[in-house]
Amino acid sequence: MQGTPGSPLHPQTKRHLHNTQRLRDAAIREFARHGLHGTKVSSIVAAAQLTQPSFYRTWPSKEAAFEQIVSETQRSWRDAATQIMDGPATLTLEQRMSQGLTRLYALLIADLELTHMVLREDSTNTDRHLPFIDIYRTVFLTAQAHHQISDLPAERLAQAYTALTERFFYARLYTQQCSLDAAVQEVTTLLLPLFEPPPPKERS
């Protein structure tokens, strides 16, 4: 029987959730360092200081663990990508783009081992950019309908945004060469000229 909302978790449930998090953290570290094929269940449970039965109560296999972690992470990245132009109408374009980039980059650097694990898996996928280009194209079409950005083809804007944000993530943040704020400012400065909407037409 489940407790009422807000009631303390049963100790067994609490222990299971704690162990699941320990296993997940250990799996991320092992997958990031050794890849799927180079990682063994025994190394995950050893890193988590748990037993193999604990692992198999959480996932049926290391492949299932890997797939769940990667798919959940990619979903969170895609969710952040849909929000790159969110914000109140009072924001300037520069503020809007800066806030969207900050949310996206903050998510990517929150756990660099997790990010490395997912990017390592994606490195051989030549179509890895397509879901993000599709998301950005939809976002930019909406922004154009509200006259927030330039009227250049949304597909072109999406490709430019994807290429530039990825390049600077690898060059600045993935290598920890600069701060989040500095990277966001640099990328926003480069993107703004492409995204600035045309000035309103003068009435004759």
Side-chain angles (χ1 to χ4, degrees):
M1 184 174 178
Q2 293 182 343
T4 57
S7 62
L9 291 172
H10 188 281
Q12 188 174 353
T13 302
K14 204 171 185 178
R15 185 168 59 252
H16 173 70
L17 292 173
H18 178 63
N19 287 346
T20 298
Q21 187 60 51
R22 285 170 62 184
L23 284 166
R24 187 180 186 277
D25 292 343
I28 289 168
R29 290 196 300 272
E30 294 300 314
F31 287 138
R33 295 168 187 173
H34 308 295
L36 172 60
H37 301 297
T39 296
K40 297 179 180 179
V41 171
S42 59
S43 65
I44 294 174
V45 297
Q49 297 183 313
L50 292 168
T51 61
Q52 293 212 15
S54 297
F55 179 92
Y56 289 112
R57 281 195 293 270
T58 306
W59 299 292
S61 64
K62 69 173 185 178
E63 288 80 10
F66 186 87
E67 176 58 32
Q68 181 184 18
I69 294 168
V70 169
S71 62
E72 286 177 353
T73 304
Q74 289 176 330
R75 184 162 55 249
S76 71
W77 292 356
R78 288 193 292 269
D79 288 345
T82 65
Q83 300 170 31
I84 57 168
M85 295 296 289
D86 283 5
T90 53
L91 291 179
T92 66
L93 177 59
E94 182 174 4
Q95 291 170 331
R96 190 178 299 277
M97 295 186 75
S98 178
Q99 287 187 13
L101 266 172
T102 298
R103 282 192 295 267
L104 183 61
Y105 278 163
L107 189 60
L108 290 169
I109 65 173
D111 185 341
L112 281 174
E113 282 195 307
L114 173 60
T115 296
H116 176 69
M117 170 189 164
V118 176
L119 293 179
R120 178 175 179 161
E121 169 68 6
D122 267 358
S123 62
T124 57
N125 178 11
T126 56
D127 294 331
R128 66 186 182 278
H129 298 115
L130 294 182
F132 290 94
I133 291 174
D134 286 344
I135 290 170
Y136 294 146
R137 182 176 58 82
T138 301
V139 169
F140 296 149
L141 282 170
T142 301
Q144 287 174 333
H146 291 89
H147 309 290
Q148 293 174 329
I149 62 173
S150 75
D151 54 6
L152 290 171
E155 180 78 15
R156 177 182 166 190
L157 293 174
Q159 290 173 351
Y161 190 94
T162 302
L164 198 60
T165 53
E166 181 185 60
R167 186 180 310 149
F168 274 81
F169 169 73
Y170 278 113
R172 302 287 191 269
L173 297 174
Y174 195 58
T175 56
Q176 298 178 303
Q177 294 296 310
C178 73
S179 69
L180 171 62
D181 289 344
V184 167
Q185 183 176 5
E186 193 171 6
V187 176
T188 302
T189 300
L190 290 169
L191 286 170
L192 265 178
L194 189 63
F195 281 79
E196 285 282 8
K201 294 179 180 179
E202 294 183 4
R203 295 182 179 179
S204 55

